[in-house]
Amino acid sequence: MNRSGRPGAAGRPLPEDLAALRRALLGHYDRTRRDLPWRGDTDPYRIWVSEVMLQQTRAETVTEYYRRWLERFPDVETLAAADLDDVLLAWQGLGYYSRARNLHAGAVVVRDRHAGTVPGTYEALRELPGVGAYTAGAVASIAFGEAVPAVDGNVRRVLARLFDRAAPAPKWLRETAAALVDASRPGEWNQALMELGATVCTPRSPGCHACPVSAWCAARAAGTQEERPAPSARRAVLRERLATAVVVDRDGCALVARRPESGLLGGMWSFPDTPLEAGVEGDEDALVASARKAATAAGARVSHEPPLALLEPVRHRFTHLAATYRPVVLAGSGADGENRRWVALDAPVAVALPVAQRKIARAAATVLGRL
Ligand code: SF4
């Protein structure tokens, strides 16, 4: 497009306008960028950590996690040597735990195959576990000055609006973002685009009046900015009800089990659970029987006495799953094993528990305190 808002050849800016657009956006970024702890840093490990944390999480939330993470795992060697449970514990609360598992696996590869030095090119970064096009582009451009794009959700939205595209295809996004990168400041260019999307070109009510690139924006010229990009078709949300066993021993410790590596919350710890069959939601006997079954399968010896308590349902929304946990508190016993631990409910738990499981633990501790 050119300054009048008309698309240029192949829907990309004309070169003379591109130079002006870059100057406008980078100048705005230099003046207004938020003061975030990873800004100005070019250490590839720290950039990598920040970029992984920032996926699906707001910068304000990430800040404190990022600081604590670097205290705990200051470099790639420390992370590679850490126990995965400690890594997941440090990640607890950020969600999408596969990001932490991949970061740990990537650190191990860097230590074992790259002598502890984060590889310095986009192509080599892409070889690391869990490092996709976005993370590789962000690390390569910010830490190593490689002129490659980094397209996250914010950049996708900005480009869709700049070029007035309702449904920008991944290939078009990659090629367009690559054509826009300022080779003299690639890392700052990518961050400037992301920052624009996070602070000005926001999903709702974009601040076009304060936007440094509004003169080039085709969507603004057409009045379509609120409709770009068009919402993608939503995946249906599955609903699942789970009988959850909180098996408590004489010391007030409860059993948590490590979940299989694949599937929901893979590799995380949780109270044993099992899906409740449809039609038995109101049947307490069926609920208790299912909870006992889950507890026994996880390695607990469960008392045949009636349950100590039935807790209020705990609901949690995952991306495509609405889960309702029906916790049943049962008396029982057992020993720690590779994939099971008996943990105190009324003290910080030494394994990473997802947010819904922590709610169940708190509710169980409260009820048991009253018994
Ligand atoms: S002019 Fe408006 S829609 Fe266009 S890039 Fe700027 S904020 Fe986004």
Side-chain angles (χ1 to χ4, degrees), residues 36 44 54 70 76 99 141 155 176-177 187 189 227 234 288 295 299-300 303 325 353 370:
L36 299 168
L54 284 164
L70 290 183
V76 81
R99 294 182 295 168
S141 62
V155 172
T176 303
W189 170 260
E227 297 143 36
R234 285 182 178 268
V288 173
S303 153
Y325 297 93
L353 285 185
R370 287 197 216 114

Side-chain angles (χ1 to χ4, degrees), residues 137-345:
V139 176
S141 62
I142 298 169
F144 300 110
E146 187 175 346
V148 286
V151 181
D152 69 350
N154 282 324
V155 172
R156 176 177 183 271
R157 182 171 59 256
V158 171
L159 296 187
R161 288 172 174 173
L162 267 177
F163 295 91
D164 199 19
R165 292 265 176 151
K171 182 168 181 285
W172 178 86
L173 280 168
R174 264 195 319 276
E175 291 176 355
T176 303
L180 289 174
V181 172
D182 187 325
S184 66
R185 298 176 67 188
E188 282 156 317
W189 170 260
N190 284 331
Q191 291 180 88
L193 266 183
M194 292 178 217
E195 185 84 348
L196 187 73
T199 60
V200 179
C201 194
T202 47
R204 276 174 291 281
S205 308
C208 303
H209 58 284
C211 176
V213 295
S214 61
W216 292 272
C217 182
R220 189 187 191 194
T224 53
Q225 59 270 52
E226 300 266 4
E227 297 143 36
R228 300 287 183 260
S232 39
R234 285 182 178 268
R235 255 174 73 180
V237 174
L238 297 172
R239 297 185 187 282
E240 191 159 54
R241 289 176 173 268
L242 297 128
T244 303
V246 184
V247 188
V248 186
D249 69 11
R250 284 166 186 269
D251 300 323
C253 290
L255 173 69
V256 291
R258 198 199 296 270
R259 304 179 73 86
E261 283 298 325
S262 59
L264 188 67
L265 298 171
M268 300 288 295
W269 296 83
S270 72
F271 295 106
D273 60 33
T274 187
L276 269 174
E277 284 170 29
V280 302
E281 285 88 351
D283 182 341
E284 283 190 5
D285 290 341
L287 172 64
V288 173
S290 296
R292 281 185 197 283
K293 198 169 117 193
T296 306
R301 286 185 295 278
V302 183
S303 153
H304 293 291
E305 300 292 312
L308 298 172
L310 301 183
L311 304 180
E312 288 295 312
V314 170
R315 295 183 175 81
H316 188 75
R317 176 71 190 267
F318 299 93
T319 312
H320 300 299
L321 174 70
T324 302
Y325 297 93
R326 301 284 311 277
V328 179
V329 185
L330 301 160
S333 61
D336 280 356
E338 191 187 340
N339 290 319
R340 55 175 189 267
R341 298 265 194 288
W342 290 79
V343 298
L345 284 174

Side-chain angles (χ1 to χ4, degrees), residues 13-143:
L14 299 171
E16 58 270 32
D17 282 321
L18 180 51
L21 183 152
R22 285 172 174 156
R23 271 197 307 280
L25 181 56
L26 282 167
H28 179 264
Y29 177 68
D30 291 339
R31 288 189 301 278
T32 63
R33 64 185 178 188
R34 292 170 293 174
D35 183 21
L36 299 168
W38 48 88
R39 284 274 155 80
D41 201 331
T42 54
D43 177 273
Y45 168 69
R46 294 200 291 268
I47 299 297
W48 183 14
V49 170
S50 68
E51 290 300 338
V52 173
M53 284 189 172
L54 284 164
Q55 290 163 27
Q56 284 131 340
T57 312
R58 290 162 55 85
E60 293 73 17
T61 308
V62 165
T63 301
E64 197 43 42
Y65 280 94
Y66 176 76
R67 286 207 178 94
R68 283 206 304 264
W69 181 276
L70 290 183
E71 280 169 18
R72 181 81 184 74
F73 311 112
D75 50 45
V76 81
E77 298 277 357
T78 316
L79 179 60
D83 191 276
L84 179 59
D85 281 338
D86 290 339
V87 174
L88 294 174
L89 198 56
W91 199 269
Q92 184 170 269
L94 271 175
Y96 299 97
Y97 287 83
S98 60
R99 294 182 295 168
R101 277 198 299 279
N102 282 331
L103 203 45
H104 181 250
V108 170
V109 171
V110 169
R111 179 193 62 193
D112 294 348
R113 293 200 209 142
H114 300 275
T117 301
V118 177
T121 65
Y122 173 87
E123 291 301 332
L125 286 160
R126 284 284 268 135
E127 300 289 313
L128 298 176
V131 174
Y134 167 74
T135 308
V139 176
S141 62
I142 298 169

